[in-house]
Structures are given as structure tokens and as C-alpha cells.
């Protein structure tokens, strides 16, 4: 399998179903994430939030990834102060991941224990450092500063 870098974009944070969502997008060269797919992904997102109560500030980091095979929506949710809860969703015809509908707007939960591919994980490196820097280290957590601290756009994967 040949490796190549993909493009990383940062989108404005949103509040979706009560959680502050920091949004990254990864796109395979020559492809795009369309507005209808983006809307479907964020409408589906609450289905992959944690299903338990937690006093941690409600923050989620998403990586929406467009590949030749389809779409992936990774939701990394901060819980228990310093733990990432991860659930992922998929759309497109990808039977291995439990999706057989070719419509890229029809997301379903991935039934496998996966956390992300080499293109989806770089934002997590940044987000871990930002969470420590803004939420865990200061005497008084600065959640707003955390929400504003994002990885730079550009090529991703190395």
C-alpha cells in the first residue's frame, strides 16, 4: 500500500447536542467533502457521543475523513477529566466496516474497535497537548482557550 499525504482543514467549532465540537477534516487528493455529507455527519454525531453522564467540560474533537472508499467520522470525546472516549461512524459501500449503502450521507456506527488511521490521528497529538495546556495544567481551566487552540491546516500523515 503506497503512502501519500492528505489535506487537513480546520472548521469552526460548533455546539452540537450540548457538546462543544472542534472539527477537523481530512481529504484524499482529488476528492472533496460536500455540504450535504458534512451536514449528515454532524446530524449523526450525537449517536456516537458517550452514553454516560460525566462532569468533564463537554468537548468533542471530530475528524471527518473523505477517502476513495467513503467517509469516516471519528468522535473523540473528553471524559473523566483526562480520558478520550472514541466512537466512529462510516458511510459508503464498505462491508468490512458494516456499511453497505453507497450513499455518503447515510452514516452508521462502525462495529469494530478502531480509533483512527494514520491521517486521522495527527490532530489527536495536538488535541492532547492542548487539553493538558489549557484544561489540566492551569490552576483554573481555560476551556475557551482550549476550543480556540487547533492544529494548523496543511498536509497531514507524516
Amino acid at each position: 500500500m503506497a503512502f501519500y499525504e492528505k489535506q487537513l482543514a480546520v472548521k469552526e467549532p460548533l455546539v452540537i447536542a450540548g457538546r462543544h465540537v472542534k472539527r477537523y477534516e481530512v481529504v484524499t487528493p482529488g476528492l472533496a467533502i460536500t455540504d450535504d455529507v458534512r451536514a449528515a455527519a454532524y446530524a449523526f454525531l450525537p449517536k456516537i457521543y458517550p452514553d454516560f453522564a460525566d462532569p468533564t467540560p463537554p468537548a468533542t474533537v471530530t475528524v471527518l475523513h473523505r477517502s476513495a472508499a467513503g467517509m469516516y467520522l471519528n468522535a473523540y470525546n473528553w471524559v473523566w477529566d483526562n480520558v478520550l472516549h472514541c466512537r466512529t461512524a462510516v458511510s459508503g459501500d464498505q462491508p468490512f466496516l458494516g456499511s453497505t449503502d453507497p450513499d455518503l450521507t447515510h452514516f452508521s456506527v462502525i462495529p469494530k474497535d478502531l480509533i483512527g488511521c494514520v491521517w486521522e490521528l495527527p490532530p489527536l497529538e495536538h488535541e492532547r497537548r492542548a487539553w493538558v495546556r489549557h484544561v489540566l495544567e492551569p490552576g483554573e481551566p481555560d476551556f475557551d482557550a482550549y476550543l480556540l487552540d487547533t492544529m494548523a491546516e496543511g498536509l497531514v500523515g507524516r
Side-chain angles (χ1 to χ4, degrees):
M1 173 177 240
F3 177 82
Y4 53 91
E5 291 192 295
K6 296 186 179 189
Q7 189 66 37
L8 176 77
V10 179
K11 300 299 182 184
E12 288 293 319
L14 298 173
V15 176
I16 300 173
R19 292 188 70 85
H20 296 267
V21 179
K22 292 176 75 172
R23 302 181 304 145
Y24 293 96
E25 292 184 354
V26 173
V27 179
T28 298
L31 299 176
I33 298 174
T34 58
D35 288 340
D36 61 331
V37 170
R38 190 176 288 115
Y42 293 113
F44 189 85
L45 181 60
K47 294 178 182 174
I48 54 177
Y49 282 167
D51 55 3
F52 51 87
D54 180 69
T56 305
T60 296
V61 176
T62 61
V63 179
L64 184 60
H65 181 179
R66 176 70 167 102
S67 77
M71 295 295 307
Y72 311 95
L73 174 62
N74 303 301
Y76 305 105
N77 306 281
W78 286 107
V79 298
W80 300 328
D81 292 331
N82 59 15
V83 174
L84 275 177
H85 166 278
C86 177
R87 283 203 182 122
T88 54
V90 62
S91 68
D93 189 13
Q94 299 181 74
F96 171 75
L97 297 176
S99 179
T100 57
D101 186 338
D103 187 332
L104 295 181
T105 65
H106 293 169
F107 283 85
S108 60
V109 175
I110 293 177
K112 299 182 182 315
D113 297 329
L114 306 173
I115 63 167
C117 72
V118 297
W119 296 282
E120 297 160 355
L121 294 177
L124 285 185
E125 294 177 61
H126 174 89
E127 291 300 322
R128 188 204 68 80
R129 288 189 306 273
W131 188 258
V132 169
R133 185 171 46 253
H134 299 296
V135 178
L136 298 179
E137 281 183 337
E140 188 69 32
D142 190 345
F143 189 59
D144 291 334
Y146 167 72
L147 293 174
L148 294 172
D149 188 339
T150 58
M151 185 175 171
E153 293 184 329
L155 293 177
V156 68
R158 294 212 184 267

